[in-house]
């Protein structure tokens, strides 16, 4: 019961997921719509609550046991609670009962998102440019045939899509474009077909109950 | 120099610098910014899910419009929290099973359609594909290169037989296409990151310090 019932559910919902693609009948389509738009959206929201609970638990535990860098956990917890309260009671763009402005200074959740989350996210990804440059240098030092091929392609693509490429040679942008549309497509398509077969095989294994690791341990 | 008087621009700028400080070495400023990022991101997620999903999809229909059928997804959702009660913790498998089951079910025909049928349609040697290149008679050559490239790339990932003989030759050709594919993806990713970096520098030097327009 404890393992069989969830496996039956996976099978039933898996089959529903498959047949909605094949059968265009309104009954099947309506069923699919209510599963996708109502049930699953709600379940994902509850899963998020569970995930946030786990995140807070981990950091509370870190503070309690005074583990390494425990003081920073306070920043995470406080910023999470403050932004949640502002978002839940202040509403999106300050439309809720909680006042989210002092004079012309606004601190609603959208403002926090635009001025804290977005710059931090963009800077973190921008930081990766430096690490990718360092990684490509190390790959180049490996001096294998494959690594060289990879880096030369990357270099042509990078130079070819910026104005400098056209200054070096008027043929460079069109050569970069050719690489993108011909040999790159062949390589990516080969990988994609392999990945797709892997996805289908794993999905069928889960639906048929052969792959059961998602059940976790225990009874 | 025309420094911004907006406190939010200052906050965003100082947080950006805190992240950039990681280039020197890991330091308290970076750690503060990192933890703040996670906290605010999750706070925003809570707000988003509450206002855009839980309220309009569950609580409004259930408690305000009296649609009692919504009690079913509500109860199934609550089962997630049985994870904390050891005696009935197995019930958490019900919402997980429904979610996994539906999504893997949908992925089977969707993947077949988009990643297998469409890709094969684009690879096979047909007159439609030759013309799709808009390259005249070169279209045939490009189509043949793509066709050979896909077959050789697939043969590189075929590990059930030792890469010797014909398979050895095709897999060696395949790795050339695969590496060109990786190189193109790498080049594009680097350019995307560089454009983000340019955006941040424009923000710091323009919006914040007012050195550039």
């Amino acid at each position: 019961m404890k393992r069989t019932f969830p496996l039956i559910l996976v099978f039933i919902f898996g089959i529903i997921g498959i047949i909605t693609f094949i059968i265009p009948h309104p009954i099947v389509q309506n069923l699919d719509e209510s599963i996708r738009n109502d049930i699953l959206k709600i379940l994902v929201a509850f899963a998020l609550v569970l995930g946030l609970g786990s995140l807070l638990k981990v950091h509370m535990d870190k503070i309690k046991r005074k583990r390494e860098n425990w003081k920073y956990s306070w920043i995470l917890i406080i910023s999470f609670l403050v932004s949640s309260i502002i978002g839940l009671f202040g509403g999106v763009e300050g439309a809720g009962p909680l006042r989210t402005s002092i004079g012309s200074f606004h601190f609603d959740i959208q403002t926090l998102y635009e001025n804290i989350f977005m710059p931090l996210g963009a800077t973190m990804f921008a930081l990766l440019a430096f690490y990718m440059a360092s990684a490509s240098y190390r790959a180049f030092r490996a001096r294998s045939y494959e690594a060289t091929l990879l880096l030369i392609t990357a270099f042509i693509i990078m130079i070819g899509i910026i104005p400098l490429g056209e200054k070096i040679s008027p043929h460079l942008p069109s050569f970069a474009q050719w690489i993108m549309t011909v040999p790159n497509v062949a390589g990516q398509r080969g990988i994609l077909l392999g990945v797709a077969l892997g996805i289908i095989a794993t999905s069928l294994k889960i639906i048929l109950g052969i792959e059961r690791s998602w059940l976790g341990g225990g009874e | 120099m025309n420094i911004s008087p907006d406190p939010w621009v200052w906050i965003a700028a100082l947080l950006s610098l805190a992240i950039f400080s990681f280039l020197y070495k890991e330091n308290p400023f970076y750690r503060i910014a990192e933890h703040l990022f996670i906290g605010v991101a999750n706070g925003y997620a809570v707000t988003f899910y509450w206002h855009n999903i839980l309220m309009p999809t569950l609580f409004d229909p259930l408690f305000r419009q009296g649609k009692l059928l919504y009690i079913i997804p509500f109860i199934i959702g609550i089962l997630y929290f049985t994870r904390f009660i050891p005696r009935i913790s197995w019930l958490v498998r019900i919402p997980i099973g429904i979610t996994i089951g539906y999504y893997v079910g949908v992925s089977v025909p969707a993947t077949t359609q988009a990643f297998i049928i469409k890709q094969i349609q684009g690879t096979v040697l047909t007159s439609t594909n030759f013309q799709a290149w808009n390259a005249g008679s070169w279209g045939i050559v490009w189509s043949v290169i793509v066709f050979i490239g896909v077959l050789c790339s697939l043969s590189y990932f075929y590990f059930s037989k030792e890469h010797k003989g014909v398979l050895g030759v095709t897999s060696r050709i395949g790795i050339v296409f695969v590496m060109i594919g990786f190189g193109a993806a790498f080049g594009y990713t680097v350019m995307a990151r560089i454009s983000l970096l340019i955006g941040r520098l424009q923000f710091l030097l323009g919006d914040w310090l007012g050195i550039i327009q």
Side-chain angles (χ1 to χ4, degrees), chain A residues 76-90 107-109 112-113 116, chain B residues 36 38-47:
Chain A
L76 188 147
I77 292 168
I78 292 168
S79 61
F80 167 69
L81 292 176
V82 169
S83 54
S84 297
I85 289 167
I86 288 172
L88 291 175
F89 300 106
F107 53 90
D108 54 86
I109 191 72
L112 296 185
Y113 181 79
I116 296 179
Chain B
L36 190 66
I38 301 167
V40 173
N42 285 304
Y44 186 78
V46 166
T47 310

Side-chain angles (χ1 to χ4, degrees), chain A residues 194-216:
Chain A
V195 170
L197 291 171
I199 291 173
I200 293 165
T202 311
S203 299
L204 290 174
K205 276 169 78 180
I206 292 171
I207 292 170
L208 297 172
I210 299 164
E211 168 63 54
R212 299 176 180 196
S213 57
W214 65 272
L215 286 168

Side-chain angles (χ1 to χ4, degrees), chain A residues 20-208:
Chain A
T20 51
F21 207 84
I22 302 162
I23 304 171
H25 195 279
I27 293 175
V28 178
Q29 293 305 314
N30 289 341
L31 174 73
D32 174 57
E33 204 177 302
S34 59
I35 290 174
R36 202 161 10 96
N37 291 339
D38 297 330
I39 298 175
L40 288 174
K41 263 189 185 175
I42 294 164
L43 292 187
V44 169
F46 276 100
L48 177 93
V49 177
L50 184 72
L52 291 173
S54 295
L55 179 79
L56 287 178
K57 195 169 167 280
V58 166
H59 283 274
M60 295 291 267
D61 193 51
K62 208 171 165 184
I63 292 168
K64 204 171 140 189
R65 294 172 197 274
K66 292 207 179 347
R67 290 211 180 109
E68 202 187 344
N69 295 318
W70 62 274
K71 285 170 190 164
Y72 300 107
S73 293
W74 277 118
I75 292 167
L76 188 147
I77 292 168
I78 292 168
S79 61
F80 167 69
L81 292 176
V82 169
S83 54
S84 297
I85 289 167
I86 288 172
L88 291 175
F89 300 106
V92 183
E93 293 181 347
L98 182 76
R99 202 175 147 194
T100 53
S101 64
I102 301 167
S104 61
F105 182 72
H106 294 269
F107 53 90
D108 54 86
I109 191 72
Q110 196 59 33
T111 309
L112 296 185
Y113 181 79
E114 283 165 14
N115 295 290
I116 296 179
F117 178 80
M118 272 170 49
L120 282 173
T123 315
M124 276 185 193
F125 279 106
L127 205 64
L128 290 180
F130 294 97
Y131 291 101
M132 288 182 98
S134 129
S136 57
Y137 171 70
R138 264 176 277 161
F140 199 65
R141 280 184 60 188
R143 287 181 192 197
S144 72
Y145 160 67
E146 288 88 358
T148 311
L149 191 61
L150 187 150
L151 283 170
I152 289 170
T153 311
F155 186 74
I156 293 168
I157 297 294
M158 283 191 282
I159 294 293
I161 59 172
I162 56 170
L164 179 68
E166 202 161 2
K167 292 257 191 274
I168 294 169
S169 163
H171 302 293
L172 201 55
S174 50
F175 182 55
Q177 189 58 36
W178 180 81
I179 290 177
M180 284 305 291
T181 50
V182 182
N184 169 51
V185 164
Q188 299 276 8
R189 208 169 259 171
I191 297 167
L192 206 62
L193 283 165
V195 170
L197 291 171
I199 291 173
I200 293 165
T202 311
S203 299
L204 290 174
K205 276 169 78 180
I206 292 171
I207 292 170
L208 297 172

Side-chain angles (χ1 to χ4, degrees), chain B residues 65-140:
Chain B
Q65 297 161 19
K67 291 179 179 172
L68 292 175
L69 263 180
Y70 281 83
I71 198 87
I72 298 169
F74 181 61
I75 290 170
I76 298 171
I78 291 289
L79 291 180
Y80 266 118
F81 304 104
T82 57
R83 193 177 175 274
F84 301 109
I85 309 164
R87 204 166 50 86
I88 52 167
S89 66
W90 68 274
L91 288 171
V92 76
R93 290 170 185 156
I94 292 173
I96 294 175
I98 292 171
T99 313
I100 289 179
Y102 181 80
Y103 283 124
V104 296
V106 165
S107 80
V108 173
T111 308
T112 311
Q113 175 77 10
F115 293 158
I116 295 190
I117 296 173
K118 289 281 176 195
Q119 300 302 324
I120 291 172
Q121 273 177 350
T123 307
V124 289
L125 299 171
T126 60
S127 58
T128 320
N129 281 345
F130 300 156
Q131 285 158 15
W133 294 100
N134 285 325
S137 53
W138 282 107
I140 299 173

